[in-house]
Amino acid sequence: MVIYLSLDLEQNIQYVKGVGPAKALLLNKLGIYTLKDLMEYYPRVYEDRTKLKSISEFLNGEQVLFTAVVSAPIHVQRIRKNLSIYTTLVSDDTGVCKMTWYNQTYLKTKLIEGEKYLFYGKADLKHGRPNIESAQIYNLEDLPKIQGIYPIYPLTAGITQNYLFKLENLVYDSNILIEDIFSNEFRKKYELAEINYAMRNVHFPSSFNAINVARNRIIFEELFLFQIALMSIKNSGIGVKKTTVFKDVDVTPFLKLLPFELTNAQKNVVEEIKHDLSSDKVMNRLVQGDVGSGKTMVAALAMYMAVKNGYQASMMAPTTILANQHFDELSKYFEKLGINTAIITSSTTKKTKKEIVDKLKNNEINILIGTHSLIEDDIEFNNLGLVITDEQHRFGVKQRMKLSSKGQTVETLVMTATPIPRTLAIILYGDLDISIIDEMPPGRSPVITAVRDESSEDKINNFLKSQINEGRQIYIVCPLVEENEELDLNSVQTLFEKYKNDTFKEYSVEFLHGKMKNKEKDEIMQRFKENKINILISTTVIEVGISIPNATVMVIENADRFGLAALHQLRGRVGRGKYQSYCILKSSNRSVNARERLKIMEKSNSGFDIAQKDLELRGPGDFFGIRQSGMPEFKLANLLTDATILKKSQEAAKELVTKDKNLELEENKKIKEALFKKFGEQLTNIAT
Ligand code: ADP
Ligand code: MG
């Protein structure tokens, strides 16, 4: 049987037999665009379908595979418009089992009384006679395929388990072979299976042990390539000795201007930074601190020290709104100290930008705050000595490096509210030191959090009104910008119309989303800051950093759509002033899992605890924002749970790069090709 038009792995999935344009679109949703994607679409878990059972052997709650004859007519009971129940009896030599399905119209024609089929489902023995709901039905001749360890794939609407199973079967039955990028010697050395064995067994394992061997091989390759890519783009300045160390700076003049005293945690971190700067090694420090712990001030003090040493400093934030906020807050202090501060974002006009660049080159500007716009090529400094990245998880490694490369030897500080385990941090950021701000400024009362469904709508709205009447302001966050019928989410625009014209028509309601022009966004934020807007409806553009003490309520629509870390970040937008603040998580998702996840938010106000839970529930890919930060998403590897393989692959990568820095040796040719295919232009050091 010829399945493919050609054996091209990059071939569009649409042309694989049994797919076609409609199914292809659905598969695209799963990230499957090519034949290769399909082959690399790995099962999430496996079911043990190795044993064929007799009905009398069923245990309560057990997943069973068995053959039986349909021994009664199919009975249909129409409960209401969308609910029909199909029941029948099936029997083998040992007993009778009741079978129940819901809304499976095709059953009437598929199951024929007196015929024998293969079934798989969960046995329920609680009511005497065994009963199985929603069993999967196969023809007898499918037995050899179905019996064994059965892969379970992540799905999307319109793509069933069975369909994917058959599709993968088709592909792997065609004996298509992949070239192994590792040589025999390499595989022997690191105890790795051959790639085709691994691929086949990860989908259709011959034993549970084979799954481990297969996964181990595939994960190793993913992590290995990732490590090499990282090595090629990592800051080469890390750990470098400095020619001139910083002299000690008295920060009292700066501290005197502040309306508050630093917390002890802030003071400690400032000391650590001071120590780094005056040592002979270039600083590479990550400052972790929960939302609202006061990282900005720590950054400001570091910049002050750099400037007092005659250097320029630069601070990069992920959004214009946040960059503006930093600028507004910090420039007022710096101006008083005779330090010149400027800001560059995508809304800076050409003319202003040129003025700033000129002044930067003449050292007339000491501190430059901004967004990604800072890393553009035309921004040149006179004597850049310190670079700070705020909310680092929003940036790629390359972006951070690019800003640092604008100076000779540049001290770096990265700040995050996202706690990252040390081992992982080292992989992602190189050999860096970590400081933790583990104390909140005094006088903050924890935000009161409540999970509510649509039945509380009126109550919530009345509460919001009472808060506004007391002079407070409200944030409402929605997951999407445009209405998505399929998901039925409350979009910013629809909610805005409804609230402005109806629910909250006596108040000032505005909206904000990522697709608006920066100028518009800034204007709205400015008006919100001035309390000219009562309710601000937005997407997660306000997720990071924004600090408006008068805003006391954060309402999050479809809260179950967000990760806990994101929810915690959003919640961190309130509780920033002296007023009691509230976070209302709206969700009509009734699933136990979703409820449980949101309940964690009610119970904990600690970003670290929440992060830990989120990690357990969702895995690190989503959590660390690896996707946003330009890090690859792994198909199989999990940076946390696969720590052993990670370590091994790291050693292997190091060894390879030490021996063959630019991957020029013939034996490494395939590795290099794979690397470029995967990471392409992100690679800088490895010569093409
Ligand atoms: P984050 O760590 O989330 O970046 P910020 O730096 O934005 O937090 O600080 C949150 C708020 O706390 C700001 O309004 C800031 O002025 C204030 N703040 C910072 N340090 C202190 C302190 N030691 N005492 C009181 N308020 C502080
Ligand atoms: Mg911040």
Side-chain angles (χ1 to χ4, degrees):
M1 177 169 53
V2 180
I3 311 178
Y4 315 112
L5 293 177
S6 75
L7 284 183
D8 180 6
L9 290 177
E10 300 302 328
Q11 182 192 302
N12 190 326
I13 191 69
Q14 179 179 339
Y15 304 112
V16 171
K17 193 188 167 197
V19 180
K23 284 279 192 227
L25 282 178
L26 295 174
L27 289 170
N28 289 170
K29 282 196 188 165
L30 297 173
I32 304 173
Y33 295 89
T34 64
L35 178 55
K36 182 155 184 280
D37 292 335
L38 178 64
M39 297 181 77
E40 291 180 351
Y41 194 72
Y42 302 120
R44 192 166 35 89
V45 284
Y46 300 87
E47 281 175 4
D48 187 351
R49 299 188 180 184
T50 42
K51 282 191 201 71
L52 203 57
K53 291 259 171 170
S54 302
I55 291 177
S56 64
E57 292 175 322
F58 291 179
L59 300 174
N60 188 33
E62 185 189 27
Q63 297 280 355
V64 287
L65 181 72
F66 65 105
T67 59
V69 175
V70 177
S71 52
I74 318 273
H75 179 252
V76 187
Q77 202 183 350
R78 231 173 112 90
I79 306 286
R80 54 171 192 267
K81 191 164 166 262
N82 297 322
L83 182 60
S84 301
I85 301 180
Y86 294 76
T87 48
T88 189
L89 297 175
V90 301
S91 38
D92 65 7
D93 296 343
T94 68
V96 180
C97 180
K98 187 180 169 205
M99 307 292 274
T100 311
W101 288 274
Y102 300 94
N103 297 334
Q104 305 288 330
T105 17
Y106 69 94
L107 277 182
K108 281 293 264 187
T109 45
K110 169 145 188 166
L111 282 186
I112 298 166
E113 194 181 347
E115 295 281 322
K116 198 172 181 182
Y117 299 91
L118 180 63
F119 298 100
Y120 181 80
K122 188 177 177 186
D124 175 1
L125 265 56
K126 282 200 295 278
H127 313 287
R129 170 190 279 175
N131 174 27
I132 296 181
E133 285 191 2
S134 310
Q136 291 170 40
I137 310 160
Y138 305 94
N139 293 327
L140 273 190
E141 60 267 26
D142 286 336
L143 184 62
K145 281 232 160 75
I146 304 299
Q147 189 172 20
I149 301 166
Y150 189 86
I152 302 293
Y153 298 94
L155 302 174
T156 186
I159 298 288
T160 64
Q161 203 56 249
N162 223 344
Y163 176 76
L164 265 180
F165 179 75
K166 282 193 177 141
L167 204 58
E168 296 284 3
N169 249 298
L170 201 69
V171 172
Y172 281 90
D173 274 358
S174 75
N175 278 325
I176 183 167
L177 287 180
I178 302 167
E179 229 184 343
D180 203 322
I181 65 163
F182 298 137
S183 65
N184 286 339
E185 297 81 71
F186 188 97
R187 290 206 311 269
K188 210 175 256 164
K189 183 166 174 187
Y190 296 105
E191 298 172 310
L192 301 169
E194 193 270 330
I195 190 64
N196 290 290
Y197 172 89
M199 295 287 279
R200 169 165 286 277
N201 274 280
V202 87
H203 289 282
F204 309 109
S206 54
S207 68
F208 279 100
N209 186 44
I211 299 178
N212 286 336
V213 172
R215 284 178 54 94
N216 186 65
R217 156 62 205 240
I218 295 166
I219 292 170
F220 182 97
E221 183 171 324
E222 277 192 310
L223 294 176
F224 174 81
L225 292 177
F226 170 61
Q227 304 274 339
I228 296 188
L230 216 50
M231 283 173 193
S232 94
I233 53 180
K234 226 177 238 171
N235 189 354
S236 47
I238 288 168
V240 167
K241 294 254 183 200
K242 300 188 271 215
T243 41
T244 47
V245 301
F246 278 45
K247 64 179 195 305
D248 207 24
V249 173
D250 177 17
V251 292
T252 337
F254 189 101
L255 295 180
K256 271 197 181 145
L257 296 175
L258 299 180
F260 47 73
E261 207 192 322
L262 291 191
T263 63
N264 283 328
Q266 284 171 313
K267 283 182 193 159
N268 289 341
V269 176
V270 171
E271 280 308 309
E272 285 172 332
I273 292 169
K274 223 180 210 181
H275 183 262
D276 285 351
L277 295 177
S278 57
S279 84
D280 62 355
K281 237 183 74 191
V282 175
M283 173 169 76
N284 189 33
R285 186 170 287 278
L286 172 73
V287 176
Q288 286 183 1
D290 209 344
V291 256
S293 62
K295 294 184 287 293
T296 318
M297 273 311 144
V298 170
L301 283 160
M303 292 196 280
Y304 181 73
M305 291 188 257
V307 173
K308 285 288 153 188
N309 269 281
Y311 292 102
Q312 289 169 306
S314 187
M315 176 152 146
M316 182 162 67
T319 62
T320 307
I321 297 172
L322 190 53
N324 275 326
Q325 179 182 295
H326 286 332
F327 179 77
D328 292 345
E329 186 178 3
L330 300 184
S331 61
K332 65 177 191 235
Y333 300 124
F334 286 131
E335 294 301 321
K336 287 188 187 140
L337 297 161
I339 294 170
N340 288 329
T341 316
I343 177 165
I344 286 194
T345 65
S346 54
S347 22
T348 310
T349 60
K350 266 207 178 110
K351 188 164 158 266
T352 316
K353 188 170 166 185
K354 186 165 180 311
E355 280 169 24
I356 292 176
V357 171
D358 287 343
K359 286 186 179 169
L360 267 181
K361 283 193 219 156
N362 294 333
N363 215 4
E364 285 167 56
I365 287 172
N366 310 105
I367 290 175
L368 184 63
I369 292 171
T371 56
H372 300 79
S373 306
L374 290 178
I375 59 177
E376 281 165 18
D377 287 333
D378 53 351
I379 310 285
E380 288 171 55
F381 290 82
N382 177 293
N383 190 16
L384 181 64
L386 168 70
V387 159
I388 298 173
T389 320
D390 192 20
E391 308 290 353
Q392 58 70 35
H393 65 284
R394 291 297 187 104
F395 292 99
V397 184
K398 240 185 134 183
Q399 290 169 320
R400 282 191 286 124
M401 298 314 166
K402 186 141 184 226
L403 186 53
S404 304
S405 71
K406 291 178 185 288
Q408 286 286 319
T409 33
V410 176
E411 316 277 342
T412 56
L413 204 56
V414 292
M415 302 196 297
T416 182
T418 310
I420 303 171
R422 207 190 145 68
T423 45
L424 193 57
I426 287 173
I427 294 156
L428 296 181
Y429 306 115
D431 189 15
L432 89 180
D433 300 301
I434 299 179
S435 292
I436 297 177
I437 308 183
D438 52 4
E439 183 187 355
M440 284 289 174
R444 301 254 179 92
S445 46
V447 177
I448 295 172
T449 303
V451 182
R452 294 288 180 269
D453 62 21
E454 63 276 5
S455 65
S456 309
E457 197 72 36
D458 291 344
K459 254 185 165 168
I460 294 172
N461 292 341
N462 286 335
F463 174 69
L464 299 187
K465 285 175 189 169
S466 73
Q467 283 283 307
I468 301 172
N469 293 341
E470 283 175 32
R472 304 288 83 76
Q473 291 162 279
I474 318 286
Y475 292 107
I476 298 178
V477 173
C478 312
L480 284 179
V481 183
E482 277 148 41
E483 191 77 10
N484 184 332
E485 285 169 33
E486 201 180 340
L487 291 174
D488 190 27
L489 301 174
N490 278 327
S491 78
V492 170
Q493 241 129 9
T494 351
L495 204 65
F496 169 70
E497 304 287 333
K498 185 171 141 205
Y499 281 8
K500 189 185 171 63
N501 302 324
D502 183 16
T503 325
F504 294 101
K505 57 176 180 291
E506 60 272 44
Y507 299 100
S508 147
V509 184
E510 273 298 349
F511 72 97
L512 195 69
H513 59 71
K515 288 183 191 154
M516 282 160 89
K517 291 220 175 67
N518 280 330
K519 205 161 155 258
E520 280 176 275
K521 284 195 255 180
D522 294 345
E523 276 166 20
I524 288 172
M525 277 324 281
Q526 194 52 41
R527 285 178 43 226
F528 191 66
K529 213 179 243 173
E530 290 163 6
N531 200 358
K532 288 181 183 147
I533 296 171
N534 303 124
I535 299 180
L536 182 62
I537 304 177
S538 90
T539 55
T540 50
V541 284
I542 55 131
E543 175 184 330
V544 290
I546 304 298
S547 196
I548 296 176
N550 193 49
T552 53
V553 188
M554 167 63 68
V555 181
I556 302 173
E557 302 283 335
N558 300 101
D560 50 285
R561 296 267 156 195
F562 294 90
L564 293 185
L567 290 177
H568 182 66
Q569 278 276 353
L570 286 168
R571 178 169 62 180
R573 299 311 110 224
V574 297
R576 301 206 141 225
K578 51 183 186 288
Y579 311 106
Q580 176 61 54
S581 295
Y582 306 87
C583 176
I584 301 167
L585 303 174
K586 284 197 193 169
S587 166
S588 38
N589 188 330
R590 305 247 180 297
S591 88
V592 179
N593 197 320
R595 291 269 132 191
E596 238 168 55
R597 243 160 48 82
L598 293 178
K599 286 280 173 198
I600 294 171
M601 296 296 297
E602 281 186 350
K603 281 184 219 128
S604 178
N605 258 297
S606 149
F608 281 73
D609 289 352
I610 290 169
Q612 189 57 39
K613 293 266 164 45
D614 206 21
L615 209 55
E616 286 162 19
L617 289 165
R618 309 206 314 161
D622 292 321
F623 182 74
F624 292 116
I626 285 172
R627 210 169 323 175
Q628 295 117 303
S629 66
M631 291 291 168
E633 255 190 283
F634 299 108
K635 296 211 158 137
L636 206 55
N638 175 327
L639 285 173
L640 287 189
T641 51
D642 298 320
T644 324
I645 310 178
L646 180 64
K647 200 157 162 258
K648 209 165 110 182
S649 69
Q650 196 168 23
E651 280 160 20
K654 261 189 201 147
E655 199 174 319
L656 185 100
V657 171
T658 317
K659 210 169 119 194
D660 182 16
K661 187 159 175 287
N662 293 329
L663 305 188
E664 280 155 350
L665 295 179
E666 183 58 27
E667 65 193 61
N668 294 329
K669 203 175 124 218
K670 283 183 218 149
I671 294 178
K672 187 169 169 177
E673 276 170 20
L675 209 53
F676 271 92
K677 222 176 224 161
K678 207 158 183 171
F679 299 103
E681 35 125 27
Q682 288 189 37
L683 303 175
T684 49
N685 290 355
I686 297 178
T688 32

